[in-house]
Amino acid sequence: MKTTSHYIFVLVGFLFTSILTSANAFQKDKDKFVVVLDAGHGGHDSGNLGNGHKESDIALNIVLNLGKDLEKNKDIKVIYTRKKDVFVTLRGRAKIANDADADLFVSVHCNAHSSQASGTETFVLGVANTKRNMEIAKKENEVIFLEADYEKHYEGFDPNSPESLITLSFLQEEYTENSIKLARLVEDNFEMGLNRKSRGLKQASLWVLHNTYMPSVLIEVGFLTNKAEGKFLNTKAGQSKMASGIKKAIYSYKSYIEQNIGENIYQGTEVETIESAGDPQIIENVVFKVQIAASSREIPPKSYNFKGLLDISREKVGKVYKYYYGYTSDYNAIKQMQIKAVSKGYKDCFIVAYKDGNKIDVSQAIQSTSN
């Protein structure tokens, strides 16, 4: 890829994603956790050739290593967008993931730059665009032009239009939370587990194929244009090492998902008793809830599905079902509910606020009391 060149592009096909919880979490004995592995580029699109190394080959080797390891787990099903040196269109990659009803999409690429820049990066779709990331998105989106009949399949999208890029970000803003979770796990594993330099989690506006229903990340395993890093990535040992880091991140993500929603058959009849810390802090015309999970699957908002928590509600946002605990105008009470949810295992839960049926920032809700 040229300067992070074709990477966000495959992510492009799948970053319409995020907050989705795995099917495995709901039907543990029936379905497997489906991971779609995507090796960047391929065929007439070789990716970048930094220092004479071929991105499409290195990405494929890492993906095959990763898939081989994941396939050893009987609870995981691995699907590849390609297993050899062939070109796959963006819409083709999306179709593979959608047809599989995948739980996760992971795209692997290698970076490039005109300098000796080094380090890993993991991308998700988002609105937090720096000037550099906007330029990267433009370049990545231009891979559309390598596809036959691209005018027909990508009608109305201009890879060079800032307006098009910005629109992409807002279209799928609701689908990024779980993608970010996975991206952080990947970069943490690279940095702390493998002692690789991490450039962190990045967000960029990317063209995304419609109807892709799974958290998605695009991983840049390093810069081929960096002499030392390129040499490392071009070895079997280096490729195996990077694959192992991604594998551990996927396992951690899968565990996180299953802890947050699962077959927790709770048969108790406890009565909800939430004691507010201090005097009630009632916010007029505002309702607070604790968001504890989100998923592409619709499940009954019953206590036995949510570790015994009572007062569970469900809301459909786009193609995602969000699950909430509690319903109160007392801010102190909802904080205690959040503490209780954390104690039940929902460590990443957070408070949300609604005014007149519309979602607002919690800080805005609290400030309204002084107005």
Side-chain angles (χ1 to χ4, degrees):
M1 301 187 301
K2 303 172 183 176
T3 310
T4 342
S5 233
H6 287 78
Y7 59 87
I8 298 189
F9 227 21
V10 179
L11 177 62
V12 151
F14 301 89
L15 282 182
F16 238 32
T17 60
S18 109
I19 311 184
L20 307 182
T21 306
S22 78
N24 178 270
F26 307 125
Q27 302 181 47
K28 193 176 300 182
D29 297 325
K30 298 178 182 178
D31 297 338
K32 292 190 175 184
F33 187 85
V34 180
V35 180
V36 172
L37 300 180
D38 176 62
H41 311 282
H44 63 273
D45 176 18
S46 61
N48 87 72
L49 300 172
N51 286 307
H53 308 309
K54 190 175 179 182
E55 180 186 2
S56 57
D57 287 349
I58 293 173
L60 179 59
N61 289 338
I62 291 174
V63 159
L64 294 178
N65 266 289
L66 171 59
K68 184 178 180 180
D69 282 343
L70 291 176
E71 287 169 346
K72 295 176 182 177
N73 187 315
K74 62 181 178 59
D75 295 325
I76 295 178
K77 179 179 181 179
V78 178
I79 295 174
Y80 304 84
T81 58
R82 69 181 182 95
K83 297 184 74 173
K84 54 185 179 180
D85 189 21
V86 295
F87 179 75
V88 183
T89 65
L90 293 182
R91 62 187 186 278
R93 299 172 195 267
K95 187 176 187 304
I96 290 171
N98 289 336
D99 288 351
D101 193 20
D103 296 290
L104 210 55
F105 174 83
V106 177
S107 184
V108 176
H109 289 248
C110 303
N111 225 327
H113 198 267
S114 57
S115 70
Q116 282 295 297
S118 63
T120 63
E121 296 177 318
T122 299
F123 280 80
V124 301
L125 181 70
V127 297
N129 292 291
T130 63
K131 181 178 179 181
R132 171 177 173 269
N133 285 355
M134 286 290 283
E135 290 303 314
I136 288 172
K138 288 181 183 179
K139 292 179 180 179
E140 292 299 337
N141 291 340
E142 288 175 353
V143 79
I144 285 174
F145 299 139
L146 295 178
E147 299 186 23
D149 301 323
Y150 67 85
E151 299 96 335
K152 173 182 176 182
H153 298 292
Y154 305 97
E155 182 178 3
F157 177 77
D158 179 4
N160 296 308
S161 165
E163 290 78 15
S164 290
L165 300 179
I166 292 171
T167 298
L168 287 178
S169 296
F170 288 101
L171 281 175
Q172 289 300 321
E173 187 176 0
E174 292 289 344
Y175 297 86
T176 59
E177 293 174 25
N178 276 12
S179 296
I180 289 173
K181 176 68 177 180
L182 175 60
R184 284 175 176 157
L185 288 168
V186 169
E187 287 301 313
D188 286 348
N189 270 337
F190 285 161
E191 184 173 28
M192 294 181 282
L194 302 182
N195 198 31
R196 305 300 299 174
K197 176 183 176 181
S198 170
R199 297 165 64 92
L201 182 158
K202 303 292 180 68
Q203 294 179 289
S205 297
L206 307 169
W207 186 91
V208 183
L209 298 176
H210 296 291
N211 300 319
T212 50
Y213 309 127
M214 71 291 298
S216 307
V217 297
L218 189 148
I219 303 168
E220 290 288 347
V221 294
F223 287 76
L224 297 185
T225 45
N226 179 281
K227 292 182 179 179
E229 203 160 70
K231 183 178 180 181
F232 168 77
L233 292 171
N234 200 45
T235 64
K236 289 184 178 180
Q239 293 161 10
S240 177
K241 190 172 184 179
M242 300 310 290
S244 70
I246 300 171
K247 177 193 70 174
K248 290 178 181 178
I250 291 174
Y251 280 155
S252 296
Y253 174 84
K254 180 174 179 289
S255 176
Y256 159 78
I257 289 298
E258 291 172 348
Q259 288 173 5
N260 277 275
I261 294 185
E263 294 180 327
N264 300 283
I265 306 303
Y266 178 83
Q267 302 293 352
T269 58
E270 70 172 284
V271 176
E272 189 80 87
T273 56
I274 299 295
E275 295 183 4
S276 178
D279 295 331
Q281 185 179 352
I282 306 298
I283 313 295
E284 296 293 338
N285 302 317
V286 172
V287 169
F288 296 104
K289 305 177 186 179
V290 179
Q291 184 172 326
I292 56 177
S295 171
S296 59
R297 304 299 198 278
E298 180 181 13
I299 62 173
K302 304 294 185 180
S303 63
Y304 56 75
N305 283 328
F306 296 90
K307 305 183 180 182
L309 292 176
L310 305 178
D311 198 10
I312 299 296
S313 59
R314 180 182 64 212
E315 175 188 12
K316 188 175 184 182
V317 180
K319 298 183 184 300
V320 172
Y321 293 96
K322 295 187 176 183
Y323 297 89
Y324 303 95
Y325 166 50
Y327 186 99
T328 179
S329 294
D330 184 348
Y331 183 61
N332 279 338
I334 203 66
K335 287 192 293 184
Q336 296 306 304
M337 290 181 181
Q338 182 183 26
I339 291 172
K340 182 172 182 179
V342 169
S343 73
K344 292 285 188 176
Y346 296 101
K347 296 181 180 179
D348 294 308
C349 66
F350 54 93
I351 296 172
V352 296
Y354 293 84
K355 184 173 184 179
D356 299 325
N358 298 313
K359 190 174 181 180
I360 62 174
D361 290 338
V362 173
S363 59
Q364 180 184 345
I366 299 172
Q367 291 170 2
S368 68
T369 58
S370 60
N371 296 332

